[in-house]
Amino acid sequence: MTHADTSTESAKSPGAAPELGLAGLLFAAAFTLALFVHPPIYEFQGRRPGADDVLARVLGDGRRLFANHCYLKADAYYHSGYYPTIFDDQQGHQTAHMAADAGVVQEQNTGEEGQFLGAVTDWIDGHSRKHFPSSHSHLDEDAPGGKGAGVEREILPWLELSANLDPQWVENYTVGAFWLRKLGKQAEAERFVRLGLESNPGNVELLFELGRCRFDAADLERARNIWEQGWVRWRAREEGRPAAEQNRFTATQLLLHLALVESRLGRREKCVEWLTRALPIAASPDQIKKRIEEVRGGLPFEPIQSPALESSGKDAHH
Amino acid sequence: MSHISAVASVVILEMIRRKDVYVLLFLTALITLALGAVNFFGDPKIARYLKEVCLALIWVSSLVIAVFTAARQIPSEKESRTLFPLLAKPISRAQVMLGKFLGCWLACAASLAAFYVFFAILSATREGQWPVANYVQAYWLHCLFCGLVASLTLLGSVWFTAVSSNATIILAFVGAMLVLGRHLHKVAMKTGGLAGNLLDVGYYALPHLEWFDVRDLIIHNWPRIDWDVIAKDTLYAFAYGGCFLALACWRFRRYAIH
């Protein structure tokens, strides 16, 4: 029997056609199932960005520790390396200075921030201090390298890394966005905030920051809409809580910015309305009362001593 | 002196033949350049994170080179039985020990020079500046650090039986001193009692290796250190290195070769 004969016989064998048919059917079923399953999975991943992240898989919840380390590293860079260790007095560094200076968190530092090393105890200590940064400075003010040289950019890699490690930590995005805006990188700042909003949909702090991005871009109407949305979210989130537990810092910022944007848009009544709303929750109501009187008297609303407002005000003027 | 330099040259030749330094330099360059390719917010001028990573890798590499080069000198001579013919020559044991130290130190200094040249080029491409005096200071302090570590490791190599145990103990000690060195007194004050007193003794007696680590000053572009501080550091390192080498020579004289 030749080889050709054998092939013809196996092709004609009664079991071949059903096997091929079954394989075809399975292939078609698998293809249909893939088409059916893929969009929901894609959508699910979209709701949880980073779900397929290698770092998240490898480190698990431990990545939050690393995120915290990176965040502190960014603050240490903000001080050009002059930063307390666990052995030093950390009273003056309970809130990261880069965040407090950005106006995105309420500062809770006490004591002298620049004196955590204390007095020189002996000659070893005195000599040792000549080998590491031992004087207080901030990158945007008086750091080695010079003010105005844009050296604030050096904190950004650590903030991005921290945000990658812990996407739910909102402060990374708000602080990063503030310094990006200060460096003139408005588009990157907005992109970074939107990345944060993907992981934290409807977050009030991020909405506030997004509004600041639009405000800087002179898109006042949109900034107002975003801040109004933030105010609605804040009320939904915080109004049911006891007064002591409410995040009034963010609410005050939102309301003052809403007043600012209404003032810029020439709507004096709305400006007064937002300021009046800020009165019961603001830390310094007397200042706000004074501003209300000024606005009613025809003066434009100007930023109140707040780094956040000051920055936005300055940038908007530019 | 010629005996010492002859032994030292053999150590340097051995390091040139071995691939450790090349591999470490290659890995340092590879990791740094890979990290340098990461784009953060489209800003090509961000440099300090890269400097930090590069210097950290240089420090780890130098520590590995110093400890493992020095740790295997005497034990490998003993194991391969080349110590007998060496000592049969008109050379004292102290000269052998000093020659080994000099060789290790110069080998470390030479490899460090290559590392720092790479660092300086990398830093200049990002920041566009050449703070040569700062780099020279950092390099010299780093060399002093390697000398101290090498002398301490040589002392350990005639004290501990195995190379691995010696290397582990030295690495742990150096790591602890780099991290805790300047805080020992504070910890001692808080601890109190006998433990506090012991920590205080350690604070005053142990070599402060952290003085030679000026990475933060380099990373954050602080002004250079005063030269008299560098001179004091040099004297300090020579004093401690001399003590360790004297102890190593003393111990080596009683060292059982068989």
Side-chain angles (χ1 to χ4, degrees):
Chain A
M1 190 182 279
T2 61
H3 178 71
D5 296 336
T6 317
S7 306
T8 318
E9 271 186 22
S10 46
K12 284 176 184 172
S13 67
E19 278 169 11
L20 280 173
L22 192 64
L25 198 64
L26 276 173
F27 177 76
F31 187 71
T32 312
L33 188 67
L35 287 177
F36 181 73
V37 165
H38 184 68
I41 287 182
Y42 192 73
E43 193 186 339
F44 178 68
Q45 283 181 341
R47 276 195 222 122
R48 291 174 59 225
D52 55 345
D53 185 9
V54 179
L55 278 175
R57 281 172 185 266
V58 173
L59 300 173
D61 277 350
R63 72 189 193 281
R64 288 190 183 138
L65 284 174
F66 292 100
N68 188 48
H69 175 79
C70 291
Y71 185 78
L72 291 179
K73 197 80 181 165
D75 201 32
Y77 270 45
Y78 186 58
H79 290 90
S80 298
Y82 178 71
Y83 211 67
T85 63
I86 53 167
F87 304 105
D88 298 310
D89 179 13
Q90 295 182 315
Q91 294 289 313
H93 287 263
Q94 294 175 74
T95 308
H97 294 184
M98 63 175 180
D101 287 0
V104 299
V105 289
Q106 194 159 18
E107 190 169 353
Q108 294 179 334
N109 297 325
T110 54
E112 192 59 49
E113 61 183 28
Q115 300 296 323
F116 64 79
L117 286 172
V120 174
T121 51
D122 50 66
W123 70 270
I124 292 177
D125 186 26
H127 188 69
S128 172
R129 292 183 189 196
K130 290 165 186 162
H131 298 84
F132 61 89
S134 51
S135 64
H136 185 261
S137 63
H138 285 172
L139 274 184
D140 59 329
E141 293 162 7
D142 44 5
K147 184 185 175 182
V151 279
E152 302 96 316
R153 67 168 69 89
E154 301 294 348
I155 66 173
L156 297 174
W158 297 105
L159 288 174
E160 186 172 344
L161 192 55
S162 181
N164 287 339
L165 286 163
D166 188 358
Q168 271 73 46
W169 192 1
V170 170
E171 227 170 278
N172 289 312
Y173 303 106
T174 52
V175 175
F178 173 84
W179 291 108
L180 278 166
R181 284 191 298 112
K182 200 164 181 197
L183 288 163
K185 292 176 173 288
Q186 267 75 15
E188 281 83 359
E190 189 167 335
R191 207 172 298 135
F192 197 41
V193 174
R194 287 191 185 279
L195 192 70
L197 277 167
E198 278 179 21
S199 305
N200 308 275
N203 182 276
V204 179
E205 286 80 10
L206 286 170
L207 285 173
F208 171 60
E209 197 58 42
L210 187 62
R212 288 169 83 179
C213 291
R214 295 317 310 157
F215 187 83
D216 280 3
D219 188 358
L220 301 186
E221 291 285 356
R222 221 159 149 209
R224 189 196 58 184
N225 291 344
I226 292 167
W227 282 331
E228 279 183 351
Q229 174 72 9
W231 173 239
V232 170
R233 296 262 181 184
W234 185 90
R235 289 180 67 186
R237 190 180 77 180
E238 304 276 342
E239 275 191 344
R241 293 181 182 173
E245 291 174 20
Q246 287 177 349
N247 180 2
R248 294 187 162 194
F249 179 75
T250 305
T252 312
Q253 299 267 46
L254 272 169
L255 293 170
L256 293 180
H257 274 80
L258 277 165
L260 182 68
V261 76
E262 294 292 6
S263 174
R264 294 278 161 90
L265 289 167
R267 298 173 188 152
R268 200 183 304 162
E269 291 77 21
K270 284 295 284 181
C271 174
V272 171
E273 188 188 322
W274 289 120
L275 286 173
T276 312
R277 284 196 189 193
L279 262 177
I281 55 169
S284 52
D286 291 341
Q287 273 195 339
I288 293 178
K289 276 180 192 164
K290 193 179 151 199
R291 295 301 166 106
I292 290 173
E293 293 307 316
E294 284 174 2
V295 174
R296 279 183 178 147
L299 288 171
F301 173 66
E302 287 303 323
I304 295 175
Q305 300 149 3
S306 149
L309 277 172
E310 278 169 16
S311 161
S312 291
K314 278 180 207 165
D315 295 346
H317 283 305
H318 289 303
Chain B
M1 190 62 197
S2 61
H3 296 311
I4 294 172
S5 57
V7 175
S9 64
V10 173
V11 175
I12 293 169
L13 281 175
E14 186 199 332
M15 200 201 74
I16 292 169
R17 277 201 301 273
R18 292 177 71 93
K19 305 288 182 287
D20 311 14
V21 176
Y22 311 124
V23 170
L24 287 168
L25 183 59
F26 176 73
L27 280 176
T28 301
L30 189 72
I31 294 170
T32 310
L33 292 175
L35 282 172
V38 180
N39 179 15
F40 290 106
F41 303 107
D43 195 332
K45 286 185 181 172
I46 297 175
R48 294 188 186 178
Y49 82 95
L50 204 57
K51 287 163 75 180
E52 171 151 5
V53 171
C54 186
L55 279 177
L57 290 169
I58 290 174
W59 269 78
V60 170
S61 302
S62 71
L63 195 55
V64 168
I65 292 167
V67 170
F68 286 96
T69 306
R72 65 172 172 252
Q73 289 304 321
I74 305 293
S76 67
E77 292 270 14
K78 191 181 167 186
E79 271 176 31
S80 60
R81 296 175 184 277
T82 47
L83 200 55
F84 294 107
L86 180 63
L87 291 176
K89 288 175 181 161
I91 183 170
S92 69
R93 288 191 180 199
Q95 283 174 324
V96 171
M97 184 57 82
L98 290 176
K100 293 286 184 191
F101 165 74
L102 190 64
C104 290
W105 193 31
L106 290 177
C108 287
S111 55
L112 268 183
F115 278 106
Y116 270 83
V117 166
F118 169 72
F119 173 75
I121 293 169
L122 177 91
S123 186
T125 53
R126 285 282 173 136
E127 294 185 324
Q129 54 184 0
W130 296 87
V132 178
N134 302 43
Y135 293 161
V136 168
Q137 287 186 336
Y139 168 72
W140 175 241
L141 290 176
H142 203 157
C143 285
L144 292 174
F145 168 84
C146 286
L148 264 176
V149 171
S151 61
L152 193 59
T153 312
L154 281 171
L155 173 61
S157 71
V158 289
W159 210 281
F160 303 110
T161 46
V163 174
S164 55
S165 56
N166 181 28
T168 308
I169 289 166
I170 299 294
L171 285 174
F173 172 75
V174 171
M177 282 310 288
L178 283 175
V179 175
L180 297 172
R182 73 182 169 98
H183 303 293
L184 276 177
H185 187 57
K186 283 179 205 160
V187 179
M189 300 268 276
K190 282 178 189 163
T191 309
L194 181 65
N197 288 336
L198 284 173
L199 283 172
D200 244 353
V201 169
Y203 176 73
Y204 288 107
L206 296 173
H208 282 270
L209 298 174
E210 78 277 5
W211 288 1
F212 305 98
D213 177 6
V214 291
R215 276 179 294 162
D216 277 343
L217 298 180
I218 296 291
I219 292 164
H220 298 287
N221 298 334
W222 284 83
R224 66 169 172 76
I225 307 167
D226 290 336
W227 288 105
D228 63 320
V229 175
I230 301 288
K232 284 176 191 164
D233 290 337
T234 307
L235 284 175
Y236 184 82
F238 282 177
Y240 266 100
C243 286
F244 294 144
L245 280 177
L247 278 171
C249 291
W250 172 77
R251 177 75 186 171
F252 191 45
R253 276 171 57 193
R254 295 153 183 272
Y255 189 68
I257 297 170
H258 298 287

